[in-house]
Amino acid sequence: MSARLIDGKAVAQQVREEVRAEIETWCAGGGRRPGLATVLVGEDAASAVYVAGKQRACAEVGIEGFAHNLPADSSQEAVQELLRELNADDRVSGILLQLPTPAHIDGSYLTTLIDPAKDVDGLTPVSAGLLAKGLPGLRPCTPAGVIELLRRYEVALEGAEAVIVGRSDLVGKPVGALLLAENATVTTCHSRTRELDQVCARADILIAAVGRPEMVKGTWVKPGATVIDVGINRTEAGLVGDVEFASAAGVAGLITPVPGGVGPMTIAMLLRNTVEAAQAQAPRG
Ligand code: NAP
């Protein structure tokens, strides 16, 4: 292996520590303690684990947690009403609706009801619009985590050729918009892209967000490139990314492992968004 590893666990820990210190200073100066409300509908085990992890992380950095765990048979109106209450609650600086919701509930519509000022997941249409227009706003956590990793490892973004495989609203599109804002030259690939391997081979920065285990091979990687693997795939061999790590690490200059790369950054950026939301909501004196 020739590539240097990007240690997402260590960077996420640094970000959490910075957020903890920021909250301490903010509250000592009279600022209202940031609060994060999580809304979980149903008993999906994986979702419950994610939400519990987010609440735990909040407690560790001094964010007040408001966990709303609703039964699977809750009506859409009941969730809607809860979101309305949370939008109006001054103690709540950020609201996170855990997706997916049960089939009878339209999670994507409900997301649109979250006050954009409290949209710490950065997934409402307003947040997406602000990002697309390059205006200030809350950015989606995983894409923001990708940019944070690139920054902390001093990867040059301006003028760099960035190729993203995947165009989801959750990852691919916002990563592209964030890289464009950093003046990278961005190519976004998807399932209809022709000669994907050759497009990838142009990349100084290659980002895989596909959801297909080890699809991106080492032969697709330009020597010395930075490879960011957003994929999380559970296979019989354990957790693997969208990049074939062994072959890619032999060619890349920098590479994220799975697990321990992008994954830990998502919660860290959620915590940071929650503090930023609290500060932006504070009444001006
Ligand atoms: P998604 O919504 O399923 O989107 C996948 C994208 O990959 C789509 O744009 C799709 O193209 C494209 N694609 C599928 N097959 C392809 C192929 N053969 N060639 C080229 N492109 C192809 O997935 P997502 O939500 O973006 O997630 C992607 C991965 O990231 C998953 O493994 C997910 O678990 C992981 N993830 C990790 C985190 C984290 O915290 N680290 C957070 C979110 C997601 P079309 O648009 O043409 O269908």
Side-chain angles (χ1 to χ4, degrees):
M1 169 171 153
S2 61
R4 200 154 60 97
L5 272 189
I6 293 180
D7 187 346
K9 237 171 126 180
V11 174
Q13 195 47 47
Q14 271 171 27
V15 173
R16 285 176 183 229
E17 186 46 44
E18 289 162 14
V19 169
R20 196 196 57 71
E22 176 68 25
I23 292 173
E24 211 171 275
T25 310
W26 172 253
C27 292
R32 188 197 289 273
R33 184 166 294 284
L36 177 72
T38 52
V39 179
L40 171 67
V41 188
E43 282 95 38
D44 180 69
S47 293
V49 170
Y50 292 144
V51 168
K54 288 166 188 174
Q55 286 291 348
R56 227 178 7 256
C58 281
E60 278 166 23
V61 297
I63 293 174
E64 195 171 351
F66 302 94
H68 294 271
N69 297 339
L70 308 183
D73 60 0
S74 301
S75 67
Q76 167 122 349
E77 290 67 35
V79 186
Q80 223 161 291
E81 182 50 35
L82 173 60
L83 291 176
R84 248 184 241 118
E85 284 167 21
L86 296 174
N87 280 340
D89 188 339
D90 286 343
R91 297 168 307 159
V92 173
S93 2
I95 302 171
L96 183 153
L97 173 66
Q98 184 67 36
L99 300 174
T101 48
H104 68 283
I105 287 178
D106 186 348
S108 135
Y109 166 70
L110 287 172
T111 300
T112 68
L113 303 181
I114 294 172
D115 179 346
K118 299 189 176 189
D119 176 25
V120 286
D121 250 349
L123 296 178
T124 62
V126 172
S127 297
L130 292 172
L131 172 58
K133 287 187 76 69
L135 294 170
L138 292 161
R139 306 309 192 206
C141 301
T142 303
V146 168
I147 300 297
E148 196 63 35
L149 286 178
L150 293 171
R151 274 209 198 108
R152 303 235 176 181
Y153 277 80
E154 297 178 344
V155 176
L157 301 179
E158 186 161 323
E161 188 92 37
V163 174
I164 302 152
V165 191
R167 58 172 165 182
S168 69
D169 290 343
L170 185 62
V171 188
K173 276 184 204 152
V175 164
L178 289 168
L179 284 167
L180 204 54
E182 299 289 339
N183 295 318
T185 302
V186 177
T187 304
T188 302
C189 306
H190 46 79
S191 62
R192 321 292 156 80
T193 299
R194 286 196 295 265
E195 292 161 348
L196 182 61
D197 56 340
Q198 291 172 38
V199 179
C200 290
R202 294 205 308 252
D204 301 313
I205 301 165
L206 178 59
I207 298 181
V210 195
R212 290 180 179 257
E214 303 184 318
M215 189 187 86
V216 175
K217 310 295 179 197
T219 50
W220 303 16
V221 175
K222 177 170 159 181
T226 298
V227 177
I228 305 285
D229 190 351
V230 183
I232 300 178
N233 306 288
R234 283 177 180 78
T235 69
E236 281 180 6
L239 217 58
V240 299
D242 291 340
V243 175
E244 191 181 69
F245 183 83
S247 64
V251 189
L254 274 170
I255 190 166
T256 55
V258 176
V262 176
M265 292 302 293
T266 301
I267 290 188
M269 301 317 283
L270 171 71
L271 302 175
R272 187 197 270 176
N273 274 352
T274 305
V275 178
E276 284 179 5
Q279 293 175 333
Q281 286 159 34
R284 315 252 162 232

